[in-house]
Amino acid sequence: MNKRTAKMERMTNETKVFVEIDLDGEGNAVINTGVPFMDHMLDLFTKHGLFNATIKANGDTHIDDHHTTEDIGIVLGQAVKEALGDKKSIKRYGNAFVPMDDALAQVVIDISNRPHLEFRAQFPTQKVGNFDTELVHEFLWKFALEARMNVHVIVHYGMNTHHIIEAIFKALARAIDDAITIDERVKGVPSTKGLLT
């Protein structure tokens, strides 16, 4: 099997983001984004997806975390898309339910080259620590767009905002890991169109 790895970088006047990822890893990561809550969520993401990754960002967090979080989503999505290559023999679809104490999140994805985010989640609070919870949607939408994935996020219930977001990131990782699994029965790409690019 070809190595499914990629390295991406994005530099703007607002942020500098670097992502290196190995989709067939062991969950080892080096993460330093300047946004502590995102560091925590990305650590969970890599661990539960079994991705090896380096994710570094330096942004205008003295203003707020918006640009940095958004650009991490962009670059991570681009890196995942690049690492997937021709997508031959992948399962394509992935689904994961993850409970986190009081919360239950489900993420269903289709690596379809048709980006869409369906976000059925509400957060009881607007902040977790200093992190604006509306940025979860921003991150996921930019990730789905750049990875060119169909991503459906459904939070079935939950009372604690931290738990809900944590369950979402873990479920996203596990759904991606499910979808990118190689199935030798699949000849070429799993599409009647004959392509997923």
Side-chain angles (χ1 to χ4, degrees):
M1 184 176 73
N2 293 331
K3 285 201 165 203
R4 298 191 295 179
T5 61
K7 189 184 294 185
M8 290 283 170
E9 191 168 17
R10 173 183 170 89
M11 293 182 66
T12 71
N13 289 334
E14 297 165 341
T15 67
K16 179 179 180 181
V17 179
F18 171 83
V19 173
E20 185 172 10
I21 194 163
D22 178 354
L23 297 178
D24 302 300
E26 299 171 338
N28 301 320
V30 175
I31 299 168
N32 185 4
T33 69
V35 182
F37 187 75
M38 281 303 296
D39 287 356
H40 180 37
M41 292 302 110
L42 292 168
D43 187 47
L44 298 169
F45 175 80
T46 53
K47 182 67 68 178
H48 286 266
L50 296 173
F51 314 130
N52 289 347
T54 299
I55 303 172
K56 295 183 179 180
N58 186 7
D60 54 2
T61 53
H62 61 283
I63 297 173
D64 66 10
D65 296 336
H66 186 107
H67 296 141
T68 303
T69 302
E70 178 182 28
D71 285 5
I72 293 166
I74 289 171
V75 181
L76 183 60
Q78 291 171 343
V80 169
K81 181 179 183 294
E82 179 73 16
L84 278 170
D86 58 18
K87 304 180 182 72
K88 286 183 179 177
S89 298
I90 65 168
K91 286 172 62 178
R92 175 178 167 178
Y93 298 98
N95 179 35
F97 284 89
V98 171
M100 177 64 194
D101 293 352
D102 54 286
L104 178 64
Q106 179 184 13
V107 175
V108 185
I109 68 164
D110 176 10
I111 302 176
S112 59
N113 201 41
R114 292 191 304 277
H116 178 80
L117 174 65
E118 195 66 34
F119 190 74
R120 305 291 178 92
Q122 292 184 332
F123 302 129
T125 62
Q126 294 182 337
K127 283 186 176 286
V128 175
N130 295 320
F131 184 80
D132 293 318
T133 55
E134 67 178 9
L135 295 180
V136 174
H137 180 279
E138 194 67 29
F139 170 86
L140 291 169
W141 165 229
K142 292 308 182 337
F143 174 82
L145 186 65
E146 297 297 336
R148 300 199 62 80
M149 289 183 186
N150 199 299
V151 180
H152 290 245
V153 176
I154 306 119
V155 174
H156 294 280
Y157 44 80
M159 294 183 298
N160 181 285
T161 301
H162 188 132
H163 293 166
I164 293 169
I165 297 171
E166 185 166 326
I168 290 171
F169 272 82
K170 289 176 178 176
L172 175 66
R174 287 176 175 268
I176 293 171
D177 184 51
D178 187 22
I180 68 174
T181 298
I182 299 296
D183 186 338
E184 298 297 345
R185 296 172 300 172
V186 179
K187 306 305 178 189
V189 296
S191 170
T192 53
K193 294 182 179 68
L195 61 110
L196 287 172
T197 56

